[in-house]
Amino acid sequence: MHSASTRSPGRGETLLAVGAMAALAAVLVFVLAEQGRFSPAVLLAPASPTPPAGSSPAALLARWPGGLSAMGQAELFTPATLSDKIDGKAELYLSAGFLALSCQRVSLKGSTSWMEAFVYDMGRPADAFAVYSSQRRPEGRDAGLGDFSYAAGNELCLVHGRYYIELVGSDSGEAVLGSASALASSLIDSRPVTEHATVAEKALFPPGGLVADSVTLVPADVFGFDRLKNVFLARYQVGGEEVTLFLADRGSEAGAAKAAAELQAFLVTECGGTAAGQTAQPPGGAIVDLGGAFDAVFCRGRFLAGVHQAASSQGAERWASVLWGRLGGVDR
Amino acid sequence: MKPETSGPDPAPPSRREFLRRAVQAGAGVAVTAALGAWLLDRRPPGTIGRIAAVDARRSFGPKGAGPTLSIITGRARRQMLRRGLAAVGGIERFIARGDRVLIKVNAAFASPAALAATTHPDVAAELVTLCLAAGAASVIVTDNPINDPESCFELTGIGPAVRAAGGRLFVPRADSFHPGTVEGSRLIRDWPVLHSPFAGVTKLIGTAPVKHHHRAGASMTLKNWYGLLGGRRNQFHQDIDGIVSELARMVTPTFVVLDGAQSMMSNGPTGGSLADLKETRTLVVSTDPVAADAYGATLLGKTHRDLPYLAAAAALGAGTVDFESLRPVRAAAEEEG
Amino acid sequence: MRITTARRIAQAFFFLLFAWLCLVAAVGTGWFQWRGWPIRWFLELDPLVAVGTVLTTHSLYPGLAWALGTIVVTILLGRVFCGWICPFGTIHQAAGWIGRHGRRPKLVIDSNQYHPLQRLKYGILAAFLVAAAVPPKLTGLAHLHTGLLDPIPLVQRSFNLVVLPVAGLGSGGGFSGGRFYAESVVIGTVFLGFVLLNFAVPRLFCRFVCPLGALLAILGRAAPFGIKTRKHACTECGACNLNCEGACNPKGPIQVSECLLCMNCFEDCPTSHPIGYGPRPSLAGEITSPGLSRRGFVASVVAGLAVVPLSRLSGSDANNWQAGLVRPPGAVAEDEFLARCIKCGECMRVCPTNVLQPAGFSTGMEVLWTPVLNNRIGTSGCQMDCVACGYACPTGAIRRLTLDEKLGRGESRGAGPIRLGLAAVDRGRCLPWAMGRPCIVCEETCPVSPKAITVEEAQGLSPDGVAVRLQRPVVDPSRCIGCGVCEHECPMNGIRAIRVSADNESRDPAHSILLHHENKS
């Protein structure tokens, strides 16, 4: 299309063209200089949609155990932002007094496997135990780490004083679980605690028929009752019969009696139960018929205790009597 | 626009022509630079279309003498009004020759005069007549009604009566309002307030009927100032006592006329049935709207304690709830016919 | 060095620079992110943006002072911007070159003849500017509509919202794509349509439509320098039309206003130097008037005068204001917003959550393609710690906020936070309110502290008749900032059970629903 012009540019034209090129060079210099002066928008705004809650720690650990290395930075979540990370599970943690979650992904060197470490600061060992026990998987094996621990599938979970730690692997291979143990030990060592989780209440439950590792501390909303908090539950299996025993230290005899009365009233008014008499042993205990399942509520000393969902009124009374006996030694 | 062409192959380009164009271009560049410098960030974002609020206070209190109050019994509103004014010193005490008078009536609803939801046309017309007789240069009657303004003035009968008496009706439009602030006010800040009918005005008279009000308890001369507010004023219903008491501080009238010939005892402020009305046969003229309303409350079987805005208005210095302290003149109007 | 070579280099340079500045418009400090790149620069160079906003606001937003430079260059040299700089022009030139490749020279020469309809663009410009210049006393602030056809906002919008996302370069953070834009089909069709029309007539947009070209033509019509032709040396062969971009009739009398200074006539003229560049006038005669007839001019003025009252007739800026249009943080009151916004899409490109979207036809012609929040489409609502949109806005339709100003803290404590609107629970759709199922997602995700969403404890019946404890969300209007995070997260993912409207937005005091002092908490 283009007529092959043999015209050679004159001096004026060349001068003009070179002038234009000089102008382009000036623009380029301006643009390159500008890009180094950061816009306030960039300095103020987060690059990712997740709002950072306070300062993010650079890493969970100053030095990673051999074979592990960090993938990206650690993230920090507060009560206000916890649900961004764990969504629906947040309520369980929040009701147990959650303070902060630090988490970070780590990769296994020389493998495609990785895991994510979650360190929940629950404030008190009892609260750490509460979130640990209420999520404990029945098939978990004791891992011998921290105050309480278990390994199940691709997970290793443990209580270390006020901390609840979860290590979740990308698979359940030997390499991952081995690294998880090493990482757990490092995390424990890097976080010295003064108070350990010792759950004296565990020993108060009668051993006969107790389902292994079923003792759970429920932080709030026990049996759906919003005023019933921090209650230990234990599941029992004898023959084909299943029943749950519960107990809670209410601090004083009066406190325990009040809690027992409130729970009894809740079962009758809110759960549609009917009072089904009193127990002789424990003295003054109440049996409530919840449409075929029977609950017993009583107190001894500063303990509120009882039986949940026994198959019969007699069964409820029998279990109540056993539990009452166990509380005898510590009721003052 | 005829294309300007130079002829075919004219003389070689003259230096003069180039210079002419260069000067023209130079002038263009200079104008561009000057305009740019003048316009640069002259009105930063967020400052355009905002009209600065002015002081919204409306002070037209009568000079000399303390507050006065007259309580007149009777049936005929015109006679009661004349008697009531005479009892507090006559219209001449308030309106002088050459005054420009603004009368704020209650024309909130397009309902007939018989339902007593609005200022009675007799009261409005008699006020106009009296003011003109006292030598007022002009008398303007206005309100910012809730229903369509034109029909409110016509259907209540206020419009025709005022025109017949020689007064002028002011029907507010969107541009009749101006943002206003009352110093120290919590609620009336940068809020559209009826502005243009006040231009040149020297005296302000308020007049309202005695009405039950679901939100405020009762609507009388103080609640009547609500009609001076523009904008989406119904949000003030979140704090009705606050806004009525602040209106009391915003407006100091020359005097008010509270018409209790009939009082709306229930279903206020709209009413709608003659069954809501009671013949209370009273009319109050006062320079103190708080005292007038405090007396009006008794016509509704209430006391000033039932209307928290009265005490609040008194606390803001708008008047007194103890109307007896004003030594009210009590009299009966001669009945006509 | 040939001048046409220099021009091609310049066009390539500015086009690549433009594409780069679109590409990096993503919040971040990385090399492929915003950093300090002057992402608004092409818009700021555009005199039509400057003139349009000056006419509506009587003020020049500081960055737009760049346009003064363009105006000065145009006054001295003519339409250099069109032929050398404009990225849309470069696209048209490339498309036109492809379109005419292989066609018979006669047809090509004919397609580059001056056509009287090229005067249409002056009419378009006059209508736009008259609409922008209507005095506010008559009708209130004028709405600015130049952005619909102004080539820089048009190409910027098309690149930001269509071209880059389609190419998988749509991300707010690097190259990960995954952006969504409403209206993309219409915006893309307009863009592609104008580009494809080059196959029918080269530079059709530039010659017949472009209001910026028209403005520059008027500014540069008496430039002291330009193309000049020596008539006596001309053989009337027509070769100068072979690649003439502006269809300005170089052989004379030249249509000065149409010349884009592409300099192709130099190259194509077979005789020795009948065409040159330098001080004027051209020896073959020149036509400097745009040539718009009086009738055409009056029609344009009338059309422009009608635009403002026409767009106000809907009452959408009065009692019938559109509470569905939730504007970005820092957006000025709607009247002024529409007097400033040029629909360039910069804010929508930089928005890290993709929540800013172009408004569609259904919301009215006057707000078409202006930014609104759509909490369903993005990855979240408006982020608390982000003010990027205001810094991307070239005209101040969105103010540049500090974080303190946005959040109502520090020196801005007294003014309260910027409220985009108000969330309201739809109790007929909300799981715990209407369906007896527990859910507190909105309360959990509310980023305001203390939370604007609280829960009321209630006993309810689950669908199978069992008593359940429910927590039902309630919004506190004095705390809600309208960020839309709750709406985004609501599990009723069709029509959300909590939705944000522009009620109580802080940019317009008349839209407040609470008493003055309550909104300052």
Side-chain angles (χ1 to χ4, degrees), chain C residues 221-286:
Chain C
R221 58 188 270 249
F225 296 91
I227 302 288
K228 58 175 183 178
T229 314
R230 282 198 295 266
K231 184 87 172 173
H232 54 76
C234 176
T235 60
E236 301 273 348
C237 69
C240 50
N241 263 357
L242 206 52
N243 291 294
C244 178
E245 289 295 321
C248 62
N249 196 27
K251 72 182 188 318
I254 183 171
Q255 299 272 354
V256 177
S257 314
E258 304 302 313
C259 175
L260 305 185
L261 293 156
C262 66
M263 313 280 187
N264 281 340
C265 49
F266 277 38
E267 214 64 47
D268 295 331
C269 183
T271 42
S272 62
H273 305 301
I275 297 180
Y277 176 82
R280 289 259 253 267
S282 170
L283 302 185
E286 50 186 54

Coordinates of all heavy atoms in Angstrom, one line a residue, chain C residues 221-286:
Chain C
R221 N -7.2 25.5 15.6 CA -7.5 25.8 14.2 C -6.6 27.0 13.7 O -6.4 27.2 12.5 CB -8.9 26.2 14.0 CG -9.4 27.3 14.9 CD -10.9 27.4 14.8 NE -11.3 28.3 13.8 CZ -11.9 29.5 14.0 NH1 -12.2 29.9 15.2 NH2 -12.1 30.3 13.0
A222 N -6.1 27.8 14.6 CA -5.3 28.9 14.2 C -3.8 28.8 14.6 O -3.1 29.7 14.9 CB -5.8 30.2 14.7
A223 N -3.4 27.5 14.8 CA -2.0 27.2 15.2 C -1.0 27.9 14.3 O -1.2 27.8 13.0 CB -1.8 25.7 15.3
P224 N 0.0 28.5 14.8 CA 1.0 29.1 13.9 C 1.7 28.1 13.0 O 2.2 28.5 11.9 CB 1.9 29.8 14.8 CG 1.4 29.6 16.2 CD 0.3 28.7 16.2
F225 N 1.8 26.9 13.5 CA 2.5 25.9 12.7 C 1.5 24.8 12.1 O 0.5 24.6 12.7 CB 3.6 25.1 13.5 CG 4.6 26.0 14.0 CD1 4.5 26.7 15.2 CD2 5.8 26.3 13.2 CE1 5.5 27.5 15.7 CE2 6.8 27.1 13.7 CZ 6.6 27.8 14.9
G226 N 1.8 24.3 11.0 CA 1.0 23.3 10.4 C 1.4 22.7 9.1 O 2.5 23.1 8.6
I227 N 0.6 21.9 8.5 CA 0.9 21.4 7.2 C 0.7 22.4 6.1 O -0.3 23.1 6.1 CB 0.0 20.2 6.9 CG1 0.1 19.1 7.9 CG2 0.3 19.6 5.5 CD1 1.4 18.3 7.9
K228 N 1.6 22.6 5.3 CA 1.4 23.6 4.2 C 1.7 22.9 2.8 O 2.5 22.0 2.7 CB 2.4 24.8 4.4 CG 3.8 24.4 4.4 CD 4.7 25.6 4.5 CE 6.2 25.2 4.5 NZ 7.1 26.3 4.5
T229 N 1.0 23.4 1.8 CA 1.0 22.8 0.5 C 1.3 23.8 -0.5 O 0.8 24.9 -0.5 CB -0.3 22.1 0.1 OG1 -0.7 21.4 1.3 CG2 -0.1 21.2 -1.0
R230 N 2.2 23.5 -1.5 CA 2.5 24.4 -2.5 C 1.7 23.9 -3.7 O 2.0 22.9 -4.4 CB 4.0 24.4 -2.9 CG 4.8 25.2 -1.9 CD 6.2 25.6 -2.5 NE 7.0 24.4 -2.7 CZ 7.9 23.9 -1.8 NH1 8.1 24.6 -0.7 NH2 8.6 22.9 -2.1
K231 N 0.7 24.7 -4.0 CA -0.3 24.3 -5.0 C 0.4 24.1 -6.4 O 0.1 23.1 -7.1 CB -1.3 25.4 -5.2 CG -2.5 25.1 -6.1 CD -3.6 24.3 -5.4 CE -4.8 24.1 -6.3 NZ -5.7 23.2 -5.7
H232 N 1.3 25.0 -6.8 CA 1.8 24.9 -8.1 C 2.7 23.6 -8.3 O 2.9 23.2 -9.4 CB 2.7 26.1 -8.5 CG 3.7 26.4 -7.5 ND1 4.9 25.7 -7.4 CD2 3.8 27.3 -6.5 CE1 5.6 26.2 -6.4 NE2 5.0 27.2 -5.8
A233 N 3.2 23.1 -7.3 CA 4.0 21.9 -7.4 C 3.1 20.6 -7.4 O 3.6 19.5 -7.6 CB 5.0 21.8 -6.3
C234 N 1.8 20.8 -7.2 CA 1.0 19.6 -7.0 C 0.4 19.1 -8.3 O 0.0 19.8 -9.2 CB -0.2 20.0 -6.1 SG -1.4 18.7 -5.8
T235 N 0.5 17.7 -8.5 CA 0.0 17.1 -9.7 C -1.4 16.6 -9.5 O -2.0 15.9 -10.4 CB 0.9 16.0 -10.1 OG1 0.9 15.0 -9.1 CG2 2.3 16.4 -10.4
E236 N -2.1 16.9 -8.4 CA -3.4 16.4 -8.1 C -3.6 14.9 -8.2 O -4.6 14.4 -8.6 CB -4.4 17.1 -9.1 CG -4.4 18.6 -9.0 CD -5.4 19.2 -8.0 OE1 -6.2 18.4 -7.5 OE2 -5.3 20.4 -7.7
C237 N -2.5 14.2 -7.9 CA -2.6 12.7 -8.0 C -3.4 12.1 -6.9 O -3.9 11.0 -7.1 CB -1.2 12.1 -8.0 SG -0.4 12.2 -6.4
G238 N -3.6 12.8 -5.8 CA -4.4 12.2 -4.7 C -3.7 11.3 -3.8 O -4.3 10.8 -2.8
A239 N -2.4 11.1 -4.0 CA -1.7 10.1 -3.2 C -1.6 10.5 -1.7 O -1.5 9.7 -0.8 CB -0.3 9.9 -3.7
C240 N -1.7 11.9 -1.5 CA -1.7 12.3 -0.1 C -2.9 11.9 0.7 O -2.9 11.9 1.9 CB -1.6 13.9 -0.1 SG -2.8 14.7 -1.1
N241 N -3.9 11.4 0.0 CA -5.1 10.9 0.7 C -4.9 9.4 1.1 O -5.8 8.9 1.7 CB -6.3 11.1 -0.1 CG -7.1 12.3 0.3 OD1 -6.7 13.0 1.2 ND2 -8.2 12.6 -0.4
L242 N -3.9 8.8 0.5 CA -3.7 7.3 0.6 C -3.7 6.9 2.1 O -4.3 5.9 2.5 CB -2.4 6.9 0.0 CG -2.4 5.5 -0.6 CD1 -3.6 5.2 -1.5 CD2 -1.1 5.4 -1.4
N243 N -3.1 7.7 3.0 CA -3.0 7.3 4.4 C -3.3 8.4 5.3 O -2.9 8.5 6.4 CB -1.6 6.8 4.7 CG -1.3 5.5 4.0 OD1 -1.9 4.5 4.4 ND2 -0.3 5.5 3.1
C244 N -4.1 9.4 4.7 CA -4.5 10.5 5.6 C -5.4 10.1 6.7 O -6.5 9.6 6.4 CB -5.1 11.6 4.7 SG -5.7 13.0 5.6
E245 N -5.0 10.3 7.9 CA -5.8 9.8 9.1 C -7.0 10.7 9.3 O -8.0 10.3 9.8 CB -4.9 9.8 10.3 CG -3.8 8.6 10.3 CD -4.5 7.3 10.3 OE1 -5.5 7.1 11.0 OE2 -4.0 6.4 9.6
G246 N -6.8 12.0 9.1 CA -7.9 12.9 9.5 C -8.9 13.3 8.5 O -9.9 13.9 8.7
A247 N -8.6 12.8 7.2 CA -9.4 13.2 6.1 C -9.6 14.7 6.0 O -10.7 15.2 6.0 CB -10.8 12.5 6.2
C248 N -8.4 15.3 5.9 CA -8.3 16.8 5.9 C -8.0 17.4 4.6 O -7.9 18.6 4.5 CB -7.3 17.2 7.0 SG -5.7 16.7 6.6
N249 N -7.9 16.6 3.6 CA -7.7 17.1 2.2 C -6.4 17.9 2.1 O -6.4 19.1 1.9 CB -8.9 18.0 1.8 CG -8.9 18.3 0.3 OD1 -8.4 17.4 -0.5 ND2 -9.4 19.4 -0.1
P250 N -5.2 17.2 2.3 CA -4.0 17.9 2.3 C -3.6 18.6 1.1 O -2.9 19.6 1.1 CB -2.9 16.8 2.6 CG -3.7 15.5 2.8 CD -5.1 15.8 2.5
K251 N -4.1 18.2 -0.1 CA -3.7 18.8 -1.3 C -4.2 20.2 -1.4 O -3.8 21.0 -2.3 CB -4.0 18.0 -2.5 CG -5.5 18.0 -2.9 CD -5.7 17.0 -4.1 CE -7.1 17.0 -4.7 NZ -8.2 17.0 -3.8
G252 N -5.2 20.5 -0.6 CA -5.7 21.9 -0.5 C -7.0 22.2 -1.2 O -7.2 21.5 -2.2
P253 N -7.8 23.1 -0.8 CA -7.5 23.8 0.5 C -7.7 22.9 1.7 O -8.7 22.1 1.8 CB -8.6 24.9 0.5 CG -9.7 24.4 -0.4 CD -9.0 23.5 -1.4
I254 N -6.7 22.8 2.5 CA -6.7 21.9 3.6 C -7.7 22.3 4.7 O -7.8 23.4 5.1 CB -5.2 21.8 4.2 CG1 -5.2 20.7 5.3 CG2 -4.7 23.1 4.7 CD1 -3.7 20.4 5.8
Q255 N -8.4 21.2 5.3 CA -9.3 21.4 6.4 C -8.4 21.4 7.7 O -8.1 20.3 8.2 CB -10.3 20.3 6.5 CG -11.2 20.2 5.3 CD -12.4 21.1 5.4 OE1 -12.7 21.7 6.5 NE2 -13.2 21.3 4.4
V256 N -8.0 22.5 8.1 CA -7.0 22.6 9.2 C -7.5 21.9 10.5 O -6.8 21.2 11.2 CB -6.6 24.1 9.6 CG1 -5.7 24.1 10.8 CG2 -6.0 24.7 8.4
S257 N -8.8 22.0 10.8 CA -9.4 21.5 12.0 C -9.4 19.9 11.9 O -9.4 19.3 13.0 CB -10.8 21.9 12.2 OG -10.9 23.3 12.0
E258 N -9.3 19.4 10.7 CA -9.4 17.9 10.7 C -8.0 17.2 10.7 O -7.9 16.0 10.8 CB -10.1 17.5 9.4 CG -11.5 18.1 9.3 CD -12.4 17.7 10.4 OE1 -12.5 16.5 10.8 OE2 -13.1 18.6 11.0
C259 N -6.9 18.0 10.5 CA -5.6 17.5 10.4 C -5.1 16.9 11.7 O -5.1 17.6 12.7 CB -4.6 18.5 9.8 SG -2.9 17.9 9.8
L260 N -4.7 15.6 11.7 CA -4.2 15.0 13.0 C -2.7 15.0 13.0 O -2.1 14.4 13.9 CB -4.7 13.6 13.0 CG -6.2 13.4 12.9 CD1 -6.6 11.9 13.1 CD2 -7.0 14.2 13.9
L261 N -2.1 15.7 12.1 CA -0.6 15.8 12.1 C 0.1 14.4 12.0 O 1.1 14.2 12.6 CB -0.1 16.6 13.3 CG -0.5 18.1 13.2 CD1 -0.5 18.7 14.6 CD2 0.4 18.8 12.3
C262 N -0.6 13.5 11.3 CA 0.0 12.2 11.2 C 1.2 12.2 10.2 O 2.0 11.3 10.3 CB -1.0 11.1 10.7 SG -1.6 11.4 9.0
M263 N 1.3 13.2 9.4 CA 2.4 13.5 8.5 C 2.5 12.4 7.4 O 3.6 12.4 6.7 CB 3.7 13.6 9.3 CG 3.7 14.5 10.5 SD 3.8 16.2 10.0 CE 3.9 17.0 11.6
N264 N 1.5 11.6 7.2 CA 1.6 10.6 6.2 C 1.6 11.2 4.8 O 2.2 10.6 3.9 CB 0.4 9.6 6.3 CG 0.6 8.6 7.4 OD1 1.8 8.3 7.8 ND2 -0.4 8.0 7.9
C265 N 1.0 12.4 4.6 CA 1.0 13.0 3.3 C 2.4 13.3 2.8 O 2.7 13.3 1.6 CB 0.1 14.2 3.3 SG 0.4 15.4 4.7
F266 N 3.3 13.6 3.8 CA 4.7 13.8 3.4 C 5.3 12.6 2.7 O 5.9 12.7 1.7 CB 5.6 13.9 4.7 CG 5.6 15.2 5.4 CD1 4.5 16.0 5.5 CD2 6.8 15.6 6.0 CE1 4.6 17.2 6.1 CE2 6.9 16.8 6.6 CZ 5.7 17.6 6.7
E267 N 5.0 11.5 3.3 CA 5.5 10.2 2.9 C 5.0 9.8 1.5 O 5.7 9.2 0.7 CB 5.2 9.2 3.9 CG 6.2 8.1 4.2 CD 7.5 8.7 4.7 OE1 7.4 9.5 5.7 OE2 8.5 8.4 4.2
D268 N 3.7 10.1 1.4 CA 3.0 9.5 0.2 C 3.1 10.4 -1.0 O 2.8 9.9 -2.1 CB 1.5 9.2 0.5 CG 1.4 8.2 1.6 OD1 2.3 7.3 1.7 OD2 0.4 8.2 2.4
C269 N 3.5 11.6 -0.9 CA 3.5 12.5 -2.0 C 4.7 12.2 -3.0 O 5.9 12.1 -2.5 CB 3.7 14.0 -1.6 SG 3.6 15.1 -2.9
P270 N 4.4 11.8 -4.2 CA 5.4 11.3 -5.1 C 6.3 12.5 -5.7 O 7.5 12.2 -6.0 CB 4.7 10.7 -6.3 CG 3.3 11.3 -6.2 CD 3.1 11.8 -4.9
T271 N 5.8 13.7 -5.7 CA 6.7 14.8 -6.2 C 7.5 15.3 -5.1 O 7.3 15.0 -3.9 CB 5.8 15.9 -6.8 OG1 4.7 16.1 -6.0 CG2 5.4 15.5 -8.2
S272 N 8.5 16.2 -5.5 CA 9.4 16.6 -4.5 C 8.9 17.7 -3.7 O 8.7 18.9 -4.1 CB 10.8 17.0 -5.2 OG 10.5 18.0 -6.0
H273 N 8.6 17.4 -2.5 CA 8.3 18.4 -1.4 C 7.2 19.5 -1.8 O 7.4 20.6 -1.6 CB 9.6 19.2 -1.0 CG 10.6 18.2 -0.5 ND1 10.4 17.4 0.5 CD2 11.9 18.0 -1.0 CE1 11.5 16.6 0.7 NE2 12.4 17.0 -0.2
P274 N 6.1 19.0 -2.3 CA 5.0 20.0 -2.4 C 4.4 20.2 -1.1 O 3.7 21.2 -0.8 CB 4.1 19.4 -3.4 CG 4.3 18.0 -3.3 CD 5.7 17.7 -2.7
I275 N 4.5 19.2 -0.2 CA 3.9 19.3 1.1 C 5.0 19.5 2.2 O 5.9 18.7 2.2 CB 3.0 18.1 1.4 CG1 1.9 18.0 0.4 CG2 2.5 18.1 2.8 CD1 1.0 16.8 0.6
G276 N 4.8 20.4 3.1 CA 5.8 20.6 4.1 C 5.1 21.0 5.4 O 3.9 21.0 5.6
Y277 N 5.9 21.3 6.4 CA 5.4 21.6 7.7 C 6.1 22.9 8.2 O 7.3 23.0 8.0 CB 5.7 20.5 8.7 CG 5.3 20.8 10.1 CD1 3.9 20.6 10.5 CD2 6.2 21.3 11.1 CE1 3.5 21.0 11.8 CE2 5.8 21.6 12.4 CZ 4.5 21.4 12.7 OH 4.1 21.8 14.0
G278 N 5.3 23.8 8.7 CA 6.0 25.0 9.1 C 5.0 26.1 9.4 O 3.8 25.8 9.6
P279 N 5.5 27.4 9.5 CA 4.6 28.5 9.7 C 3.5 28.6 8.6 O 3.8 28.2 7.5 CB 5.5 29.7 9.7 CG 6.9 29.2 9.9 CD 6.8 27.8 9.3
R280 N 2.4 29.0 8.9 CA 1.3 29.0 8.0 C 1.2 30.4 7.3 O 2.0 31.3 7.6 CB 0.0 28.9 8.8 CG -0.1 27.5 9.4 CD -1.1 26.8 8.5 NE -2.3 26.7 9.3 CZ -2.5 25.7 10.1 NH1 -1.8 24.6 10.0 NH2 -3.6 25.6 10.8
P281 N 0.3 30.6 6.3 CA -0.7 29.7 5.9 C -0.2 28.8 4.7 O 0.9 29.0 4.2 CB -1.8 30.6 5.4 CG -1.0 31.8 4.9 CD 0.2 31.9 5.8
S282 N -1.0 27.8 4.4 CA -0.7 26.9 3.3 C -1.0 27.6 2.0 O -1.9 28.4 1.9 CB -1.6 25.7 3.4 OG -1.5 24.9 2.2
L283 N -0.1 27.4 1.1 CA -0.2 28.1 -0.2 C -1.4 27.6 -1.0 O -1.8 28.2 -2.0 CB 1.1 28.0 -1.0 CG 2.3 28.5 -0.2 CD1 3.5 28.5 -1.1 CD2 2.0 29.9 0.3
A284 N -1.8 26.4 -0.7 CA -2.9 25.8 -1.5 C -4.3 26.2 -0.9 O -5.3 25.6 -1.2 CB -2.8 24.3 -1.6
G285 N -4.2 27.1 0.1 CA -5.5 27.5 0.7 C -5.8 26.7 1.9 O -5.3 25.5 2.0
E286 N -6.5 27.2 2.9 CA -6.9 26.4 4.1 C -8.3 26.8 4.6 O -8.7 28.0 4.4 CB -5.8 26.6 5.1 CG -5.4 28.0 5.5 CD -4.3 28.0 6.4 OE1 -3.2 27.4 6.1 OE2 -4.4 28.6 7.5

